[in-house]
Amino acid sequence: MAVKCESSAMHATSSGVLQGDNPLHYALPLAIVQICLVLVLTRVLAYILRPLRQPRVVAEIIGGILLGPSALGRNQKYLNAIFPKSSLTVLDTLANLGLLFFLFLVGTELDPRSLRRTGKKALSIALAGITLPFVLGIGTSFALRATIAEGVNQGPFLVFMGVALSITAFPVLARILAELKLLTTDVGRMAMSAAAVNDVAAWILLALAIALSGSGSPIISLWVLLCGTGFVLICIFTAPLIFNWMARQCSEGEPVNELYVCATLAIVLAAGFVTDAIGIHALFGAFVVGVLVPKEGPFAGALVEKVEDLVSGLFLPLYFVSSGLKTNVATIQGAQSWGLLVLVIATSCFGKIVGTVFVSLMCKLPLQESLTLGFLMNTKGLVELIVLNIGKDKGVLNDQIFAIMVLMALFTTFMTTPIVIAIYKPAKMAVTEYKHRTVMRKDTSKAQLRILTCFHGTRNIPTLINLIEASRGTEKKEGLRVYAMHLLELTERSSAILMVHKARKNGLPFWNKGQVGESNQVIVAFETFGQLSKVSIRPTTAISAMTSMHEDIIASAERKRVSMIILPFHKHQRIDGQFETTRADLRLVNRRVLQHAPCSVSILIDRGLGGASHVSASEVDYSVLVLFFGGQDDREALAYGMRMAEHPGITLTVVRFVTDPEVVGPTVHVDIIDDSGPEGESTDEEFLADMKQKSTGDGSIIFEESTVKDATETIEAIRAYKKCNLFLVGRMSEGQLVSAFDTKTDCPELGPLGNLLISPEISTTASVLVVQKYRSELPQDSLNTLNEGASAKGDDDETEI
């Protein structure tokens, strides 16, 4: 007996291999090996499944099953060495601790106020997606009890089966929608609203199931439910007071006091202890606290940032292994068991999909959208595993039923993405044809000019607003419409999903009028500018991985029928005047947009146009300079400059550079085919003559001509204009002078003139707008510059373009 106790007791640390100890016989080194094995396997599986666009939870479920008795665990030596029974308590404790904090993070993603605003359609879809599967789950439980689940407690088993089949995995669904770029569509919004309601209902039903499974006495189950309800009510009335006080102590832009973060995490643990003592589950308390945390301001962001990486990246995968060790697919034997697996999968899919589709059609949604909603709502995931594991621990589910239900969850989640891709293609459904894809047009007075401006942080906002002010033209109402697009990177971090919910509220993720802070100042600036000027500003958001961000920008430009996209340069200017990289991957986004855009594109090199704040219309006093060498891009840049010159506070200087006749040698004329649109194309001479004729003659537009012999004289001539506020240049100017510039640069997407204006050769404080005119097919020399890479990694990335 003494020997048994000694063998089952596992000390924390070993004395080392040299002392004769096997590290795998001690808790800490064994836990390290288990964690590393789990992380490597799940990350490799996630990489393998990435082409199929599967959420990471699928890789983690598969990884857990592979490490368990279904695959590698068939080898008893491996199982006893890496996952001995004596280590499972430590493993389960770490896994549940990580899960506790992860459920707290999931709670922070749910906004109770948004649930109150849920529309009747989303509420009806959610209720149908819960009710029918729940009823079918109860029906399936009778078939299971009659075959492979004989002797289980009927009441808890019915409820657990109903809950397991009616769940929609809210975090997993958000990830799938973001990956498929459906978050901003009507289907995406409807699915998220319905899933949020479903998530809350699932937790209530799960609490009921746990209460029923705790004891055979209905009195005790009733007391458990009453105590759980009392706990929730106490939290609702007390927790917001504490959290709101903490949030008020945290100023925007200042680091959050560590004391508040530690206090919140302690509250999460205390809530988990209380609910565990009540008899529900520790996870329930953590989830409730997460729901009650204020969603806006730096406090919530700091909580998520400090908790999520360690929890989601390190501890949460342990829960999937803990679940996988309980899953033995080998227990599913014989035609009867496999037939029951098919029955469970069919029942789950039928209940969710048919229930959702039927109510969606009753709400007059199109059939395609209704089907898409049905398959989206059928997504299972982590919450499903939580329900199954609790049922297994409570003795409600045996090994065979547990394995069947885990495979059902894996199958239904895996099938969601490919089926949704196959049946719902919003991009192809809404192919947009429109005429004005450039700023340059025959009659500028008739059509509204639409511009899509992109930004990824607050750094460029003042310059963007001042550029919009300069671009608004005449006082004609609705003459300019601007779509301000915030570029948000979608990552594996749950805070990315938190940003999704904020983005759905009011277009931009930081638009919350109840808060005062840096982010609110940005929207106040946009709103104030829109009200004071004659500009219509519409916020929009792109939330995707940086590798596919260009698709969002291009699709939005097509959908909004814009004439120009303004992109931020991937570098920013330091105090000493030199440029340093802000985001290297933003450069790839810019290049892909330049290549595939459905309209003209410009890159804004920000040197602080108008200073660090919005300049009102009456105080605008800018000098804008167009460097004109020739070619379509230069003509587009001049057309944009002429639009700016309509503003009473702007003086436009157009400098045309011509080669000195003494040095002009024999030249070869190359005809460039242009099929840019029905408006036709004029030569440089005709275009300049037309622009001169359209100029008002009030001195706001100055045309000059500079005759130079070579690139050196050209640079000297440009230096004479360095005191202007804004340079407008074409990306790929044409002519003998431009071809003489040094083209070897780390930013070929700016073209020769753009690179010259950010080089030390031209010392200026003026911002630069590098313009590329839309053509249905870019010239080869332009494509070559977009395919050039400044580094080996850049070269590899560019091959995808």
Side-chain angles (χ1 to χ4, degrees):
M1 197 66 183
V3 175
K4 281 189 177 180
C5 292
E6 187 179 353
S7 64
S8 62
M10 184 175 277
H11 295 288
T13 57
S14 71
S15 299
V17 177
L18 297 178
Q19 299 287 343
D21 285 348
N22 184 346
L24 296 182
H25 292 167
Y26 294 85
L28 180 60
L30 181 58
I32 292 172
V33 171
Q34 291 170 343
I35 291 171
C36 292
L37 180 63
V38 171
L39 291 180
V40 171
L41 181 61
T42 54
R43 293 292 174 169
V44 168
L45 287 171
Y47 179 79
I48 293 172
L49 293 173
R50 187 179 298 172
L52 299 177
R53 302 175 81 173
Q54 292 294 327
R56 199 171 76 186
V57 66
V58 171
E60 288 169 331
I61 293 174
I62 294 174
I65 293 173
L66 291 178
L67 290 173
S70 300
L72 296 176
R74 288 176 177 271
N75 186 327
Q76 288 299 317
K77 289 184 179 180
Y78 150 82
L79 200 62
N80 293 331
I82 305 299
F83 296 103
K85 289 184 178 180
S86 56
S87 72
L88 295 185
T89 301
V90 175
L91 180 67
D92 285 345
T93 302
L94 287 174
N96 279 281
L97 187 64
L99 188 64
L100 186 83
F101 285 111
F102 182 78
L103 265 294
F104 165 70
L105 294 177
V106 172
T108 63
E109 296 175 8
L110 275 175
D111 188 354
R113 291 174 298 179
S114 66
L115 291 179
R116 290 198 297 268
R117 294 193 297 267
T118 301
K120 291 181 180 179
K121 286 184 181 180
L123 188 60
S124 302
I125 291 169
L127 292 176
I130 295 170
T131 307
L132 185 57
F134 191 88
V135 172
L136 292 177
I138 291 175
T140 307
S141 69
F142 286 107
L144 294 174
R145 285 189 75 247
T147 51
I148 60 174
E150 296 176 359
V152 298
N153 194 340
Q154 181 174 355
F157 185 62
L158 296 182
V159 179
F160 265 103
M161 286 299 298
V163 173
L165 266 63
S166 61
I167 281 176
T168 295
F170 180 73
V172 180
L173 176 63
R175 168 66 50 189
I176 291 174
L177 288 171
E179 290 285 352
L180 299 182
K181 302 184 185 300
L182 297 178
L183 274 168
T184 56
T185 63
D186 291 338
V187 167
R189 285 191 288 268
M190 190 76 71
M192 289 301 288
S193 298
V197 175
N198 192 301
D199 211 33
V200 173
W203 279 101
I204 295 171
L205 291 172
L206 179 59
L208 173 66
I210 295 170
L212 291 174
S213 64
S215 171
S217 171
I219 301 296
I220 294 178
S221 298
L222 179 62
W223 273 111
V224 169
L225 282 175
L226 290 175
C227 290
T229 305
F231 166 78
V232 172
L233 291 175
I234 291 172
C235 287
I236 289 174
F237 287 109
T238 58
L241 298 175
I242 299 171
F243 291 137
N244 288 331
W245 179 83
M246 290 181 182
R248 286 195 297 271
Q249 310 309 309
C250 304
S251 303
E252 191 85 41
E254 297 291 330
V256 175
N257 193 324
E258 185 184 358
L259 177 64
Y260 301 141
V261 177
C262 292
T264 304
L265 298 183
I267 291 172
V268 173
L269 292 172
F273 174 81
V274 172
T275 50
D276 188 78
I278 289 172
I280 303 178
H281 200 285
L283 305 179
F284 191 79
F287 177 76
V288 171
V289 172
V291 171
L292 297 175
V293 167
K295 304 300 184 282
E296 309 294 344
F299 179 61
L303 280 174
V304 172
E305 185 178 351
K306 291 180 184 296
V307 175
E308 66 179 344
D309 284 339
L310 182 66
V311 170
S312 301
L314 200 63
F315 288 122
L316 192 62
L318 294 179
Y319 189 77
F320 292 97
V321 174
S322 176
S323 176
L325 290 172
K326 301 172 189 173
T327 307
N328 190 355
V329 178
T331 59
I332 308 175
Q333 295 177 343
Q336 184 188 64
S337 295
W338 286 104
L340 289 172
L341 172 63
V342 173
L343 173 67
V344 169
I345 292 175
T347 306
S348 174
C349 295
F350 181 84
K352 273 287 183 186
I353 296 169
V354 172
T356 304
V357 169
F358 177 76
V359 174
S360 299
L361 291 174
M362 294 291 289
C363 294
K364 299 182 179 178
L365 265 67
L367 177 61
Q368 193 174 29
E369 291 188 8
S370 301
L371 280 171
T372 305
L373 270 174
F375 283 102
L376 286 172
M377 295 298 289
N378 195 36
T379 304
K380 302 288 190 289
L382 180 62
V383 181
E384 175 81 5
L385 284 189
I386 293 171
V387 172
L388 298 179
N389 275 279
I390 293 174
K392 181 81 162 58
D393 294 339
K394 296 287 185 181
V396 177
L397 306 178
N398 61 29
D399 291 345
Q400 195 170 351
I401 294 176
F402 184 80
I404 286 174
M405 298 302 289
V406 169
L407 291 180
M408 180 272 292
L410 180 62
F411 179 82
T412 53
T413 306
F414 192 93
M415 65 184 267
T416 300
T417 300
I419 290 179
V420 170
I421 290 175
I423 65 175
Y424 190 68
K425 300 181 176 66
K428 292 186 178 180
M429 289 163 57
V431 176
T432 307
E433 292 295 336
Y434 64 101
K435 181 179 180 182
H436 299 299
R437 296 177 182 265
T438 62
V439 177
M440 185 170 61
R441 55 190 68 165
K442 287 184 178 180
D443 190 352
T444 58
S445 62
K446 291 182 179 179
Q448 182 186 61
L449 178 63
R450 298 187 175 196
I451 296 176
L452 175 66
T453 62
C454 303
F455 60 96
H456 56 82
T458 58
R459 186 192 302 270
N460 306 113
I461 297 298
T463 295
L464 268 179
I465 290 180
N466 291 330
L467 181 64
I468 294 168
E469 168 62 40
S471 307
R472 67 182 177 87
T474 61
E475 295 293 326
K476 184 181 64 174
K477 187 177 182 182
E478 292 290 325
L480 175 67
R481 174 170 293 179
V482 177
Y483 298 94
M485 174 175 276
H486 192 186
L487 307 180
L488 291 176
E489 182 181 11
L490 179 70
T491 66
E492 289 291 343
R493 305 179 69 175
S494 60
S495 59
I497 304 304
L498 190 59
M499 286 190 290
V500 167
H501 302 308
K502 294 179 182 178
R504 286 194 304 119
K505 286 184 187 177
N506 207 348
L508 286 176
F510 41 68
W511 286 36
N512 178 31
K513 300 174 186 177
Q515 299 287 335
V516 178
E518 179 188 353
S519 60
N520 195 48
Q521 291 169 5
V522 174
I523 186 52
V524 167
F526 268 117
E527 285 185 333
T528 304
F529 172 68
Q531 290 168 2
L532 295 178
S533 65
K534 302 295 183 181
V535 179
S536 171
I537 294 193
R538 305 286 178 86
T540 184
T541 311
I543 305 173
S544 63
M546 295 303 286
T547 53
S548 61
M549 183 73 74
H550 65 286
E551 296 175 5
D552 288 43
I553 298 172
I554 291 167
S556 183
E558 187 91 31
R559 197 163 51 246
K560 309 296 185 185
R561 294 182 170 88
V562 303
S563 300
M564 178 173 282
I565 301 169
I566 299 178
L567 300 169
F569 188 39
H570 72 279
K571 295 183 178 182
H572 66 272
Q573 191 176 36
R574 299 193 308 238
I575 297 176
D576 61 2
Q578 299 300 311
F579 282 89
E580 69 177 3
T581 301
T582 308
R583 290 209 57 163
D585 43 10
L586 188 63
R587 175 190 189 185
L588 182 60
V589 174
N590 289 352
R591 290 185 175 191
R592 287 174 168 172
V593 173
L594 283 166
Q595 183 166 3
H596 301 291
C599 59
S600 294
V601 184
S602 59
I603 296 178
L604 176 62
I605 301 164
D606 182 13
R607 285 195 177 107
L609 177 65
S613 60
H614 168 223
V615 179
S616 63
S618 60
E619 296 176 354
V620 170
D621 186 14
Y622 299 151
S623 173
V624 179
L625 183 72
V626 178
L627 303 179
F628 192 92
F629 288 83
Q632 296 192 51
D633 291 350
D634 281 26
R635 294 198 287 271
E636 182 74 351
L638 177 53
Y640 193 51
M642 294 294 289
R643 168 84 187 197
M644 287 184 166
E646 296 177 10
H647 195 291
I650 289 180
T651 301
L652 176 68
T653 303
V654 183
V655 181
R656 187 189 185 191
F657 289 87
V658 295
T659 310
D660 192 324
E662 296 180 8
V663 297
V664 175
T667 59
V668 178
H669 180 71
V670 179
D671 290 324
I672 299 177
I673 299 172
D674 176 52
D675 55 352
S676 58
E679 297 189 39
E681 189 66 42
S682 57
T683 64
D684 291 340
E685 298 293 342
E686 293 170 342
F687 183 74
L688 284 170
D690 187 46
M691 291 297 104
K692 289 177 182 178
Q693 186 179 357
K694 289 180 178 178
S695 60
T696 57
D698 59 358
S700 62
I701 304 177
I702 303 168
F703 287 90
E704 297 181 4
E705 191 168 289
S706 180
T707 303
V708 292
K709 294 182 179 180
D710 52 24
T712 305
E713 285 193 11
T714 305
I715 293 172
E716 286 297 326
I718 293 173
R719 283 199 187 107
Y721 299 98
K722 66 180 183 180
K723 291 186 178 180
C724 69
N725 300 103
L726 177 67
F727 282 101
L728 280 174
V729 297
R731 193 178 83 82
M732 296 300 293
S733 302
E734 299 172 11
Q736 187 174 338
L737 288 171
V738 178
S739 61
F741 288 140
D742 183 15
T743 56
K744 292 183 179 179
T745 173
D746 64 340
C747 300
E749 67 272 14
L750 295 182
L753 285 176
N755 278 290
L756 176 65
L757 292 172
I758 65 168
S759 69
E761 291 186 80
I762 307 292
S763 178
T764 179
T765 58
S767 297
V768 183
L769 195 67
V770 181
V771 180
Q772 172 183 281
K773 181 178 179 292
Y774 166 75
R775 279 155 282 189
S776 58
E777 187 174 346
L778 291 177
Q780 191 59 46
D781 59 341
S782 182
L783 290 173
N784 291 340
T785 61
L786 296 177
N787 287 321
E788 291 176 16
S791 63
K793 183 179 184 298
D795 287 332
D796 294 340
D797 288 340
E798 296 306 330
T799 58
E800 300 174 15
I801 296 178

